[in-house]
Amino acid sequence: MSLNCNEINRILDELNIEGYFIQDIVQPGYDTLALYTYANGTAKTVLICTAQNSCRINETRRKIVKNDKPLRFMEFLKSHIKGSRIESCKQIGLQRIIQMNLVHGDENFILYIRLWSSAANVIVCNENNEILDTMFRRPKKGEVTGGIFIIPEEDPQKEPRVFPVREFEEYQNLPYNQRVDLWYSEHAQNLSREALLAQAEKWYNTTKTRMESALKRLLDKQKEFESSEKLKHQGDLILSYGYLIDGSSKFLECEDYESGKTVQILIDPAKSAHENAQVYYENYKKAQSGAESLVHDIELSKKQLEKLEKKYNEILNEQNTVKIEQLLRKDTTPKQQKKKAHPGLDYTIDGWYILVGRDANENDELLRHHVNGSDLWLHVRDFPGGYVFIKARKDKTVPLEILLDAANLAVYYSKARNAGKTDLYYTYVKYLRRAKNGPKGLVLPTHEKNLCITPDKQRLARLDSIRQEAEE
């Protein structure tokens, strides 16, 4: 149950923070805010909570848990109202809306704290009630930057309801603010923890199901590759019984010298025994290479599941609701603000790591600091565009599918994106030479090989989903 209007007035009267300065601001969660205030040798921490059924404002003496990463609204408050002097702090009528007038140098701000269970919010306005920012952005209500905060008008004809002030008798020897703080810390936290644990269970089950399905697909694919030895054996049989190929039948029927049984092997009657066997040997090599790459992906999937289990158990054992919320929360930092270990984009596909530079600056930075001589470099011929690098793996040759993935990315991040069939060249980074006095990132390749592709939209869509899934 949230505070009623009479309880709010009693809290504000006792709090008496007019003339106090806001020294610091901490936002431990999306719905909680703490203002550290000080005046005349006295420090007071004002807690503002907008959680449903627990909306309140009161002084707290409890330690406020800081969020691992700063939240948007807290950063705004720190840059605008930190250091402000609180000129006044009062409730507007009996509407459970607190108006805090602030002075910061030559600027005046109004902090509105609306403690409605169904629509609580903290809104910062200028003197004209123009909204500068809000704790919760609600476009449909106009509660966004640039909107106007409208104070609801009270109906003089409506008979005011009587709201009794709860005394919280179990703490009757303490100041009222402290009673409120203790009661909500014990009761509201329990309710909040149950709701958060229910949310955690839903998240855990959904995430686990998705991860287990992905692992099952990899394991099924691994089983398919386990039959690769059969392909090699069939190639051997074709060479052994090649004289039976008559040029018309699509099957070679022969005796399997290992099992003693008669078997039929699909062949191309227009090809020789050696050519047909070569097809099976090539498929065998692809299957072997795919099986080796799958080992990396399977181990990665298993580690992700272990990490999920560990995080869920950590949530179940955590008593602090703010910490539970932080564990459940995704990183909401805008992508452009996230610090990356390298410029450009990256993709991990079947154990292969691909780096993509999208402009001259990213190309140059990747070349200088993030690739080695044994890495493969791709670029579109005769068109400006990004560089794509395939990081080398010890004793591994880049598979054709990975090369085609990289080639499609090179075309997509170039001026040849809509040119249809496109020529590329590729070589090892050690065969690149910087152009003397040339523009940033320009290189002259040697020992290059040619590659011609038609951009594959389905392949690009798959690559995009891989990158987005990795970012999540």
Side-chain angles (χ1 to χ4, degrees):
M1 181 178 177
S2 300
L3 291 178
N4 64 45
C5 54
N6 294 320
E7 290 168 343
I8 290 171
N9 276 337
R10 182 164 174 180
I11 284 172
L12 295 179
D13 288 342
E14 184 181 280
L15 190 58
N16 190 24
I17 54 172
E18 292 183 2
Y20 277 66
F21 288 87
I22 299 175
Q23 290 192 317
D24 200 6
I25 301 161
V26 173
Q27 188 178 6
Y30 285 121
D31 55 13
T32 310
L33 200 63
L35 306 180
Y36 290 84
T37 65
Y38 184 85
N40 303 321
T42 302
K44 294 181 180 180
T45 303
V46 181
L47 181 73
I48 301 167
C49 180
T50 59
Q52 191 169 16
N53 299 321
S54 302
C55 296
R56 63 192 186 277
I57 181 172
N58 59 268
E59 181 184 358
T60 183
R61 298 180 183 179
R62 293 182 289 116
K63 182 181 178 181
I64 304 298
V65 181
K66 289 187 177 181
N67 193 42
D68 293 336
K69 295 181 180 179
L71 298 177
R72 169 194 58 79
F73 189 54
M74 183 188 77
E75 291 297 286
F76 172 83
L77 294 177
K78 282 192 171 186
S79 65
H80 287 76
I81 70 169
K82 182 179 177 180
S84 296
R85 183 177 186 274
I86 302 173
E87 290 289 294
S88 63
C89 182
K90 62 181 180 180
Q91 182 178 189
I92 300 173
L94 296 175
Q95 300 194 54
R96 290 179 293 157
I97 299 175
I98 298 164
Q99 179 178 331
M100 191 181 291
N101 291 316
L102 309 171
V103 177
H104 191 198
D106 296 331
E107 293 184 284
N108 294 323
F109 299 98
I110 304 174
L111 188 68
Y112 289 104
I113 305 165
R114 187 174 62 213
L115 299 178
W116 299 355
S117 282
S118 58
N121 210 348
V122 180
I123 301 169
V124 183
C125 297
N126 60 19
E127 294 176 285
N128 301 318
N129 269 6
E130 183 179 342
I131 297 173
L132 304 178
D133 206 351
T134 64
M135 176 179 275
F136 301 107
R137 291 172 174 170
R138 298 189 175 109
K140 290 183 179 180
K141 293 186 177 183
E143 293 177 3
V144 292
T145 302
I148 301 295
F149 181 69
I150 300 174
I151 300 171
E153 295 183 2
E154 291 184 294
D155 186 357
Q157 305 297 324
K158 188 176 180 180
E159 187 175 339
R161 292 175 60 189
V162 178
F163 294 97
V165 176
R166 291 171 291 171
E167 293 296 334
F168 308 107
E169 295 178 357
E170 58 265 50
Y171 316 110
Q172 59 183 345
N173 295 324
L174 299 172
Y176 194 70
N177 271 263
Q178 200 169 341
R179 291 187 222 173
V180 170
D181 193 47
L182 287 170
W183 190 88
Y184 276 101
S185 65
E186 291 182 12
H187 296 80
Q189 289 253 6
N190 291 335
L191 293 173
S192 178
R193 186 172 184 274
E194 289 177 12
L196 286 170
L197 289 180
Q199 182 183 342
E201 183 180 10
K202 182 179 178 181
W203 160 78
Y204 167 74
N205 289 332
T206 303
T207 308
K208 186 179 180 182
T209 299
R210 177 172 54 81
M211 287 184 173
E212 286 179 337
S213 297
L215 178 59
K216 184 178 182 301
R217 287 194 297 271
L218 291 173
L219 292 172
D220 289 343
K221 198 171 182 181
Q222 188 181 48
K223 285 182 180 179
E224 292 178 12
F225 286 144
E226 286 174 357
S227 62
S228 61
E229 288 295 332
K230 183 180 177 182
L231 294 171
K232 183 175 181 294
H233 181 56
Q234 287 174 322
D236 293 340
L237 288 175
I238 291 172
L239 287 179
S240 299
Y241 295 97
Y243 62 88
L244 296 177
I245 297 176
D246 58 12
S248 59
S249 176
K250 292 184 178 180
F251 291 93
L252 170 64
E253 187 172 298
C254 61
E255 181 182 343
D256 186 341
Y257 49 75
E258 287 189 351
S259 65
K261 297 179 180 179
T262 300
V263 296
Q264 285 187 332
I265 304 173
L266 181 66
I267 60 170
D268 184 347
K271 292 182 178 179
S272 66
H274 181 270
E275 289 172 331
N276 275 293
Q278 191 63 33
V279 171
Y280 278 87
Y281 290 147
E282 287 176 0
N283 289 335
Y284 163 73
K285 288 180 181 179
K286 288 180 181 178
Q288 286 288 97
S289 176
E292 291 173 1
S293 298
L294 275 177
V295 171
H296 173 274
D297 292 346
I298 289 171
E299 287 303 313
L300 184 62
S301 293
K302 288 180 177 178
K303 286 180 181 178
Q304 287 175 338
L305 274 168
E306 290 174 4
K307 188 177 179 181
L308 175 68
E309 293 288 344
K310 183 179 178 181
K311 184 174 181 179
Y312 184 53
N313 287 327
E314 187 180 354
I315 290 172
L316 293 179
N317 295 325
E318 182 59 58
Q319 299 300 316
N320 189 319
T321 54
V322 174
K323 187 64 178 176
I324 293 174
E325 185 189 15
Q326 290 173 355
L327 288 168
L328 280 172
R329 188 181 308 144
K330 289 184 178 180
D331 183 7
T332 56
T333 307
K335 292 180 182 178
Q336 61 269 31
Q337 293 181 14
K338 292 182 182 179
K339 291 183 179 179
K340 295 200 300 184
H342 59 80
L345 306 175
D346 61 82
Y347 302 78
T348 301
I349 308 158
D350 293 338
W352 292 90
Y353 192 51
I354 299 175
L355 291 170
V356 181
R358 295 165 294 183
D359 55 37
N361 290 325
E362 291 183 352
N363 292 342
D364 187 66
E365 180 68 16
L366 288 173
L367 269 172
R368 287 178 182 275
H369 304 293
H370 301 280
V371 295
N372 300 314
S374 55
D375 298 334
L376 206 60
W377 168 87
L378 294 92
H379 187 252
V380 173
R381 187 184 291 276
D382 301 326
F383 286 92
Y387 291 169
V388 176
F389 301 93
I390 304 174
K391 297 293 289 181
R393 294 173 62 185
K394 188 176 180 181
D395 299 327
K396 301 286 184 184
T397 301
V398 176
L400 177 60
E401 287 301 310
I402 299 299
L403 189 64
L404 290 175
D405 285 342
N408 272 271
L409 289 169
V411 174
Y412 185 78
Y413 290 104
S414 75
K415 295 293 184 181
R417 179 183 296 187
N418 300 314
K421 198 170 185 180
T422 307
D423 288 322
L424 303 94
Y425 43 19
Y426 64 97
T427 189
Y428 291 108
V429 171
K430 62 185 177 183
Y431 295 132
L432 299 178
R433 180 170 57 84
R434 296 183 183 279
K436 190 175 181 180
N437 300 323
K440 181 181 284 189
L442 180 63
V443 293
L444 302 174
T446 58
H447 298 75
E448 71 271 21
K449 294 181 180 179
N450 295 314
L451 183 65
C452 183
I453 68 162
T454 300
D456 186 340
K457 291 183 179 180
Q458 290 185 346
R459 187 183 292 269
L460 288 167
R462 176 177 59 82
L463 290 169
D464 188 54
S465 66
I466 288 173
R467 184 171 62 84
Q468 289 184 6
E469 188 173 326
E471 288 177 350
E472 292 175 2

